[in-house]
Amino acid sequence: MHDFTVLLIEVGALLLGLGLLGRLSRRIGLSPIPLYLLAGLAFGHGGLLPLSASEEFFAVGAEIGVILLLVMLGLEYSASELVGNLRSAAPAGLIDGLLNALPGAAFAFLMGWGWVSAIVLAGVTWVSSSGVIAKVLADLGRLGNRETPVILSVLVIEDLAMALYLPLVTAVLAGTGLIGGSIALGIAVFTVVLVLVVAIRYGNAISAMFSPKDPEALLLGVLGLTVLVAGIAAGLKVSAAVGAFLVGIALSGQVAHNATELLSPLRDLFAAVFFVFFGLATNPADMPPVLLPALALAIVTMATKVLTGYLAAKRVGIAEPGRWRAGLGLMPRGEFSIVIAGLAVGATGIAPQLAPLATAYVLITVVSGPLLARIPDYAWFKAWLRRRAETQRQAPIPAAD
């Protein structure tokens, strides 16, 4: 009974603190993710006040948080929208992967961490934070801008890539090697294609299993199906997160819309628990030695994200101000980077510095990214663009031979 009492006190106090931190973050115009990570660092092993009784609760909650993050992401898109975006934005997605995954892999090799850590760190630096970026676009009033579909297309390609990348990483971290990883990748590709085909042809039939007019039954049904499929996917070594993502894609119409509204509070709760748990699992004493490397990696990969967005927007004919808005808007990393690093914690072949490096890296990008995204709105930047455009117009045209 005493342990249960301590559990209630620890969980209640931490959730209350997270609520206050979330309110504070929104007042100062930042994502709450860095504050949640800092809270986990403060109350984890080596922190100011380590928690003991609630650690197992937060471990389970963190797993549920990942599942809810992914199913909510899947609910945002229909299967046909995903296929359409995949076709139109494939070149931008390829550029995105090359420019942002390779620096992470190269950095791991430079640090002497080996190929397993290189695969993990490539994912950490590759994927932007859909949640943070969506909030920044809304806060800055850019949802209707011409460059916003370009940003969203890049994010969708990354989400699809994660459906293939996560099983590969899971297999490699399990020690099955490249052969096992290739098998897992093949299974993931087959599963994703199969689900997309089923969702396109029979999405209405799947959605008909649930009634959008009965909130309680809809919540329990969608949540139950998501957890069930995630568990089966984990058992097949495909990744629970991917299973949840595919459930979200399969649902459509009013069912998907109502399920999004019902699951959003649960997603926010358990996502916060997930970020806290990642902080709990990271010893703050391990972070100072990796701060400078994390800062260097953040500078390089934030620059490559700017280049990614700039080139993607230029490819579809967006004017230069929009190109810069697209590039600067893609910089924050967040939930997926932490998910990937979380999979690697304690795994064989992973450098122990990777988790604290990932934490510091996400903190840097998720704090500085939204601030730097405001640069195109400043008068000095607009004046610089005007001078640049005028200089280009006045440049002499080379004479023809």
Side-chain angles (χ1 to χ4, degrees):
M1 181 61 71
H2 174 71
D3 291 341
F4 181 67
T5 302
V6 175
L7 171 65
L8 291 179
I9 292 173
E10 288 186 359
V11 171
L14 195 49
L15 291 180
L16 175 61
L18 293 180
L20 297 175
L21 288 176
R23 184 180 180 187
L24 172 64
S25 70
R26 286 169 179 82
R27 285 204 168 194
I28 59 179
L30 290 178
S31 165
I33 292 175
L35 298 184
Y36 294 158
L37 288 171
L38 290 174
L41 289 170
F43 296 106
H45 301 292
L48 299 176
L49 185 62
L51 303 180
S52 54
S54 58
E55 186 172 353
E56 186 173 347
F57 169 86
F58 279 98
V60 175
E63 296 292 338
I64 296 174
V66 175
I67 290 171
L68 288 174
L69 279 170
L70 270 293
V71 70
M72 292 289 290
L73 197 59
L75 287 170
E76 294 294 326
Y77 313 108
S78 68
S80 57
E81 286 174 339
L82 280 176
V83 172
N85 278 321
L86 182 60
R87 289 173 179 169
S88 63
L94 179 61
I95 293 172
D96 179 39
L98 291 174
L99 288 179
N100 297 287
L102 291 180
F107 187 87
F109 284 123
L110 186 64
M111 299 291 287
W113 291 352
W115 68 271
V116 178
S117 294
I119 291 176
V120 173
L121 196 56
V124 171
T125 59
W126 177 8
V127 187
S128 298
S129 171
S130 300
V132 174
I133 291 171
K135 186 177 187 307
V136 170
L137 291 175
D139 291 345
L140 298 180
R142 296 180 184 172
L143 291 176
N145 285 17
R146 285 194 62 206
E147 75 276 357
T148 297
V150 176
I151 296 173
L152 296 179
S153 294
V154 171
L155 296 177
V156 169
I157 292 292
E158 290 180 350
D159 297 339
L160 279 174
M162 286 300 100
L164 307 178
Y165 171 84
L166 289 176
L168 175 64
V169 170
T170 302
V172 170
L173 292 175
T176 57
L178 286 177
I179 295 177
S182 300
I183 294 173
L185 180 60
I187 294 173
V189 170
F190 173 77
T191 304
V192 170
V193 172
L194 178 63
V195 169
L196 287 176
V197 171
V198 170
I200 291 173
R201 293 190 176 182
Y202 307 106
N204 292 334
I206 296 172
S207 299
M209 294 170 54
F210 310 101
S211 172
K213 298 179 180 179
D214 189 343
E216 181 180 347
L218 179 61
L219 173 62
L220 293 173
V222 172
L223 184 59
L225 178 64
T226 301
V227 175
L228 174 63
V229 173
I232 294 173
L236 295 174
K237 307 299 182 185
V238 172
S239 167
V242 173
F245 180 67
L246 296 176
V247 170
I249 293 173
L251 298 176
S252 60
Q254 194 62 37
V255 168
H257 175 74
N258 289 12
T260 299
E261 293 183 346
L262 291 171
L263 289 172
S264 290
L266 283 177
R267 186 270 315 272
D268 294 340
L269 168 63
F270 285 102
V273 168
F274 167 72
F275 292 120
V276 169
F277 179 73
F278 188 81
L280 290 172
T282 303
N283 191 332
D286 295 333
M287 290 192 65
V290 299
L291 280 178
L292 286 179
L295 179 60
L297 184 61
I299 291 172
V300 170
T301 54
M302 288 168 75
T304 55
K305 274 293 181 183
V306 172
L307 182 58
T308 296
Y310 188 96
L311 293 176
K314 181 180 180 180
R315 178 177 170 271
V316 295
I318 304 295
E320 189 161 14
R323 298 174 197 172
W324 286 104
R325 287 193 295 267
L328 291 165
L330 282 169
M331 289 190 295
R333 272 65 159 192
E335 55 273 15
F336 261 129
S337 297
I338 297 298
V339 168
I340 295 165
L343 291 174
V345 172
T348 304
I350 292 294
Q353 303 98 316
L354 194 146
L357 176 85
T359 303
Y361 174 79
V362 169
L363 284 170
I364 292 168
T365 62
V366 86
V367 171
S368 60
L371 296 176
L372 295 175
R374 300 172 184 268
I375 287 178
D377 297 332
Y378 293 139
W380 63 265
F381 188 82
K382 294 178 180 178
W384 175 75
L385 285 179
R386 285 194 298 269
R387 290 195 301 270
R388 189 164 181 262
E390 189 172 334
T391 301
Q392 290 174 345
R393 283 195 301 267
Q394 293 176 353
I397 300 175
D401 293 334

mmCIF file of all heavy atoms in Angstrom, residues 329-353:
data_model
loop_
_atom_site.group_PDB
_atom_site.id
_atom_site.type_symbol
_atom_site.label_atom_id
_atom_site.label_comp_id
_atom_site.label_asym_id
_atom_site.label_seq_id
_atom_site.Cartn_x
_atom_site.Cartn_y
_atom_site.Cartn_z
ATOM 1 N N GLY A 329 11.415 26.783 -41.926
ATOM 2 C CA GLY A 329 10.322 26.147 -41.201
ATOM 3 C C GLY A 329 10.526 24.673 -40.940
ATOM 4 O O GLY A 329 9.842 24.084 -40.097
ATOM 5 N N LEU A 330 11.451 24.036 -41.648
ATOM 6 C CA LEU A 330 11.654 22.588 -41.510
ATOM 7 C C LEU A 330 12.704 22.212 -40.466
ATOM 8 O O LEU A 330 12.954 21.023 -40.248
ATOM 9 C CB LEU A 330 12.083 22.003 -42.868
ATOM 10 C CG LEU A 330 10.980 21.789 -43.905
ATOM 11 C CD1 LEU A 330 11.579 21.475 -45.275
ATOM 12 C CD2 LEU A 330 10.046 20.666 -43.474
ATOM 13 N N MET A 331 13.312 23.168 -39.795
ATOM 14 C CA MET A 331 14.477 22.873 -38.956
ATOM 15 C C MET A 331 14.211 22.069 -37.684
ATOM 16 O O MET A 331 15.030 21.236 -37.302
ATOM 17 C CB MET A 331 15.187 24.185 -38.590
ATOM 18 C CG MET A 331 15.910 24.821 -39.749
ATOM 19 S SD MET A 331 16.957 26.192 -39.232
ATOM 20 C CE MET A 331 15.730 27.341 -38.640
ATOM 21 N N PRO A 332 13.095 22.276 -36.963
ATOM 22 C CA PRO A 332 12.952 21.579 -35.672
ATOM 23 C C PRO A 332 12.867 20.065 -35.815
ATOM 24 O O PRO A 332 12.173 19.546 -36.679
ATOM 25 C CB PRO A 332 11.636 22.143 -35.118
ATOM 26 C CG PRO A 332 11.382 23.391 -35.875
ATOM 27 C CD PRO A 332 11.976 23.178 -37.227
ATOM 28 N N ARG A 333 13.600 19.356 -34.970
ATOM 29 C CA ARG A 333 13.434 17.915 -34.797
ATOM 30 C C ARG A 333 12.711 17.698 -33.468
ATOM 31 O O ARG A 333 12.780 18.548 -32.592
ATOM 32 C CB ARG A 333 14.779 17.195 -34.771
ATOM 33 C CG ARG A 333 15.315 16.773 -36.135
ATOM 34 C CD ARG A 333 15.650 17.912 -37.025
ATOM 35 N NE ARG A 333 16.597 17.526 -38.090
ATOM 36 C CZ ARG A 333 17.221 18.382 -38.848
ATOM 37 N NH1 ARG A 333 17.020 19.686 -38.687
ATOM 38 N NH2 ARG A 333 18.044 17.982 -39.796
ATOM 39 N N GLY A 334 12.060 16.566 -33.323
ATOM 40 C CA GLY A 334 11.307 16.367 -32.086
ATOM 41 C C GLY A 334 10.929 14.933 -31.837
ATOM 42 O O GLY A 334 11.790 14.096 -31.570
ATOM 43 N N GLU A 335 9.614 14.622 -31.990
ATOM 44 C CA GLU A 335 9.095 13.346 -31.527
ATOM 45 C C GLU A 335 9.750 12.129 -32.183
ATOM 46 O O GLU A 335 10.169 11.182 -31.495
ATOM 47 C CB GLU A 335 7.572 13.295 -31.707
ATOM 48 C CG GLU A 335 7.054 13.573 -33.105
ATOM 49 C CD GLU A 335 6.827 15.042 -33.403
ATOM 50 O OE1 GLU A 335 7.308 15.899 -32.658
ATOM 51 O OE2 GLU A 335 6.174 15.323 -34.412
ATOM 52 N N PHE A 336 9.915 12.143 -33.512
ATOM 53 C CA PHE A 336 10.494 10.981 -34.179
ATOM 54 C C PHE A 336 11.963 10.808 -33.810
ATOM 55 O O PHE A 336 12.448 9.680 -33.665
ATOM 56 C CB PHE A 336 10.348 11.113 -35.694
ATOM 57 C CG PHE A 336 9.183 10.348 -36.264
ATOM 58 C CD1 PHE A 336 8.277 10.968 -37.103
ATOM 59 C CD2 PHE A 336 8.995 9.019 -35.951
ATOM 60 C CE1 PHE A 336 7.204 10.267 -37.631
ATOM 61 C CE2 PHE A 336 7.928 8.304 -36.470
ATOM 62 C CZ PHE A 336 7.031 8.932 -37.317
ATOM 63 N N SER A 337 12.684 11.908 -33.683
ATOM 64 C CA SER A 337 14.098 11.805 -33.309
ATOM 65 C C SER A 337 14.250 11.160 -31.940
ATOM 66 O O SER A 337 15.143 10.323 -31.724
ATOM 67 C CB SER A 337 14.734 13.206 -33.304
ATOM 68 O OG SER A 337 14.705 13.782 -34.591
ATOM 69 N N ILE A 338 13.360 11.519 -31.015
ATOM 70 C CA ILE A 338 13.410 10.927 -29.690
ATOM 71 C C ILE A 338 12.952 9.472 -29.731
ATOM 72 O O ILE A 338 13.491 8.617 -29.020
ATOM 73 C CB ILE A 338 12.540 11.741 -28.707
ATOM 74 C CG1 ILE A 338 13.105 13.150 -28.563
ATOM 75 C CG2 ILE A 338 12.487 11.076 -27.350
ATOM 76 C CD1 ILE A 338 14.498 13.218 -27.991
ATOM 77 N N VAL A 339 11.943 9.166 -30.553
ATOM 78 C CA VAL A 339 11.491 7.776 -30.705
ATOM 79 C C VAL A 339 12.645 6.897 -31.184
ATOM 80 O O VAL A 339 12.899 5.817 -30.639
ATOM 81 C CB VAL A 339 10.307 7.688 -31.701
ATOM 82 C CG1 VAL A 339 10.033 6.242 -32.089
ATOM 83 C CG2 VAL A 339 9.056 8.305 -31.096
ATOM 84 N N ILE A 340 13.355 7.370 -32.194
ATOM 85 C CA ILE A 340 14.467 6.592 -32.756
ATOM 86 C C ILE A 340 15.571 6.411 -31.717
ATOM 87 O O ILE A 340 16.088 5.305 -31.522
ATOM 88 C CB ILE A 340 15.017 7.288 -34.014
ATOM 89 C CG1 ILE A 340 13.954 7.286 -35.116
ATOM 90 C CG2 ILE A 340 16.285 6.600 -34.513
ATOM 91 C CD1 ILE A 340 14.247 8.239 -36.257
ATOM 92 N N ALA A 341 15.940 7.500 -31.050
ATOM 93 C CA ALA A 341 16.981 7.401 -30.022
ATOM 94 C C ALA A 341 16.512 6.525 -28.864
ATOM 95 O O ALA A 341 17.303 5.779 -28.277
ATOM 96 C CB ALA A 341 17.347 8.791 -29.517
ATOM 97 N N GLY A 342 15.215 6.597 -28.539
ATOM 98 C CA GLY A 342 14.680 5.774 -27.456
ATOM 99 C C GLY A 342 14.772 4.288 -27.754
ATOM 100 O O GLY A 342 15.020 3.468 -26.858
ATOM 101 N N LEU A 343 14.590 3.903 -29.023
ATOM 102 C CA LEU A 343 14.733 2.499 -29.404
ATOM 103 C C LEU A 343 16.152 1.994 -29.159
ATOM 104 O O LEU A 343 16.364 0.810 -28.888
ATOM 105 C CB LEU A 343 14.388 2.324 -30.892
ATOM 106 C CG LEU A 343 12.934 2.506 -31.314
ATOM 107 C CD1 LEU A 343 12.822 2.452 -32.833
ATOM 108 C CD2 LEU A 343 12.052 1.440 -30.679
ATOM 109 N N ALA A 344 17.108 2.912 -29.266
ATOM 110 C CA ALA A 344 18.513 2.515 -29.197
ATOM 111 C C ALA A 344 19.076 2.483 -27.785
ATOM 112 O O ALA A 344 20.174 1.962 -27.576
ATOM 113 C CB ALA A 344 19.354 3.471 -30.044
ATOM 114 N N VAL A 345 18.340 3.030 -26.812
ATOM 115 C CA VAL A 345 18.860 3.100 -25.442
ATOM 116 C C VAL A 345 19.136 1.702 -24.901
ATOM 117 O O VAL A 345 18.251 0.848 -24.866
ATOM 118 C CB VAL A 345 17.876 3.837 -24.514
ATOM 119 C CG1 VAL A 345 18.333 3.740 -23.061
ATOM 120 C CG2 VAL A 345 17.765 5.301 -24.930
ATOM 121 N N GLY A 346 20.364 1.460 -24.514
ATOM 122 C CA GLY A 346 20.734 0.177 -23.919
ATOM 123 C C GLY A 346 20.969 -0.937 -24.911
ATOM 124 O O GLY A 346 21.300 -2.057 -24.514
ATOM 125 N N ALA A 347 20.806 -0.683 -26.208
ATOM 126 C CA ALA A 347 20.973 -1.736 -27.212
ATOM 127 C C ALA A 347 22.460 -2.037 -27.438
ATOM 128 O O ALA A 347 23.324 -1.181 -27.260
ATOM 129 C CB ALA A 347 20.322 -1.332 -28.527
ATOM 130 N N THR A 348 22.737 -3.262 -27.842
ATOM 131 C CA THR A 348 24.112 -3.665 -28.122
ATOM 132 C C THR A 348 24.633 -2.947 -29.365
ATOM 133 O O THR A 348 23.922 -2.826 -30.363
ATOM 134 C CB THR A 348 24.170 -5.186 -28.358
ATOM 135 O OG1 THR A 348 23.622 -5.859 -27.222
ATOM 136 C CG2 THR A 348 25.607 -5.649 -28.570
ATOM 137 N N GLY A 349 25.861 -2.474 -29.289
ATOM 138 C CA GLY A 349 26.469 -1.811 -30.433
ATOM 139 C C GLY A 349 26.196 -0.328 -30.512
ATOM 140 O O GLY A 349 26.641 0.333 -31.452
ATOM 141 N N ILE A 350 25.460 0.203 -29.545
ATOM 142 C CA ILE A 350 25.127 1.623 -29.533
ATOM 143 C C ILE A 350 26.034 2.346 -28.549
ATOM 144 O O ILE A 350 26.187 1.932 -27.399
ATOM 145 C CB ILE A 350 23.656 1.848 -29.151
ATOM 146 C CG1 ILE A 350 22.744 1.336 -30.252
ATOM 147 C CG2 ILE A 350 23.371 3.315 -28.892
ATOM 148 C CD1 ILE A 350 22.842 2.090 -31.555
ATOM 149 N N ALA A 351 26.627 3.428 -28.990
ATOM 150 C CA ALA A 351 27.477 4.228 -28.110
ATOM 151 C C ALA A 351 26.640 4.809 -26.973
ATOM 152 O O ALA A 351 25.541 5.322 -27.219
ATOM 153 C CB ALA A 351 28.142 5.353 -28.895
ATOM 154 N N PRO A 352 27.109 4.738 -25.728
ATOM 155 C CA PRO A 352 26.334 5.269 -24.605
ATOM 156 C C PRO A 352 26.092 6.767 -24.686
ATOM 157 O O PRO A 352 25.156 7.282 -24.089
ATOM 158 C CB PRO A 352 27.179 4.903 -23.374
ATOM 159 C CG PRO A 352 28.560 4.665 -23.909
ATOM 160 C CD PRO A 352 28.374 4.130 -25.292
ATOM 161 N N GLN A 353 26.907 7.475 -25.474
ATOM 162 C CA GLN A 353 26.739 8.930 -25.602
ATOM 163 C C GLN A 353 25.599 9.307 -26.552
ATOM 164 O O GLN A 353 25.215 10.471 -26.627
ATOM 165 C CB GLN A 353 28.036 9.575 -26.128
ATOM 166 C CG GLN A 353 29.258 9.306 -25.273
ATOM 167 C CD GLN A 353 30.082 8.169 -25.832
ATOM 168 O OE1 GLN A 353 29.536 7.146 -26.238
ATOM 169 N NE2 GLN A 353 31.400 8.332 -25.848
#
